[in-house]
Amino acid sequence: MPRQLGDLEDAVMSRVWQWNRPVTVREVLEDLQRERSIAYTTVMTVMDNLHQKGWVRREVDGRAYRYTAVSTRAAYAAALMNEAWSKSDNPAAALVAFFGMMSPAQRDALEDAVRIVRRDQPEVDPQAAPGTEPEVRPETPSETAPEVPPEVPPEVPDDAPAEVPSEGADREHPAGR
């Protein structure tokens, strides 16, 4: 399970995720310098650390590296939420408290996500006898979730990997071989 990114790691990864393309240390440095005074070597060290931890992969481009995110920000956030929830001594109470903190827009997004997950799983007949093979009931059009959620976050490309690197992941290819 991933550890939460530090402040500077998050600032660097935010740019890598937002730009959604291979980036150089120089590009990240110049953007970070709009907000704070920071040295090239500091950004280079952070990006090398992110590579060692499996958050980014890198390719040589001339005398520099180009870094690309291994996972999406959405997958990172989901892994952190799952980690926090799974450590609770009362997961149901933790979810109730979490949902209570949500804005109406966040609750709407949650309902959309639940509909999408349910759409991808066959519905099981609750009247089936225990120990028997459950009969799958066909969905009616009114039970079918919309094809796409009303708003897809821009930072989640369709072809992005969904996995999040773990501690001890393969250093050159965090997703494994």
Side-chain angles (χ1 to χ4, degrees):
M1 196 47 39
R3 275 186 303 128
Q4 186 170 354
L5 295 171
D7 290 341
L8 190 50
E9 289 174 326
D10 187 67
V12 168
M13 283 305 300
S14 290
R15 283 148 178 88
V16 175
W17 281 319
Q18 178 184 2
W19 296 338
N20 194 29
R21 62 175 173 76
V23 299
T24 63
V25 171
R26 175 76 51 201
E27 291 173 305
V28 174
L29 170 72
E30 289 172 359
D31 200 59
L32 283 170
Q33 285 180 329
R34 294 179 185 165
E35 300 170 0
R36 63 177 101 184
S37 176
I38 190 166
Y40 179 92
T41 53
T42 301
V43 177
M44 183 176 64
T45 298
V46 169
M47 293 185 81
D48 184 62
N49 289 343
L50 289 167
H51 174 256
Q52 295 301 320
K53 291 177 180 181
W55 287 103
V56 293
R57 64 178 60 94
R58 66 184 180 194
E59 295 178 10
V60 176
D61 183 14
R63 292 179 33 188
Y65 285 113
R66 289 206 173 266
Y67 294 85
T68 308
V70 169
S71 186
T72 64
R73 179 178 279 288
Y76 165 68
L80 290 178
M81 288 187 290
N82 186 58
E83 172 75 3
W85 179 64
S86 67
K87 287 185 176 179
S88 173
D89 60 345
N90 187 341
L95 285 175
V96 169
F98 179 63
F99 298 157
M101 294 177 194
M102 292 179 152
S103 69
Q106 289 170 321
R107 281 193 289 278
D108 288 345
L110 174 65
E111 289 173 6
D112 290 339
V114 169
R115 268 196 240 85
I116 290 168
V117 169
R118 283 187 177 152
R119 175 191 70 195
D120 293 342
Q121 297 175 349
E123 189 175 330
V124 176
D125 183 358
Q127 305 299 325
T132 62
E133 185 70 24
E135 181 181 332
V136 176
R137 295 187 337 209
E139 293 180 346
T140 62
S142 64
E143 295 173 331
T144 305
E147 282 302 309
V148 290
E151 190 173 318
V152 175
E155 77 229 23
V156 183
D158 291 337
D159 61 346
E163 72 275 356
V164 174
S166 61
E167 296 293 324
D170 184 315
R171 297 291 186 217
E172 283 304 310
H173 194 286
R177 295 195 192 278

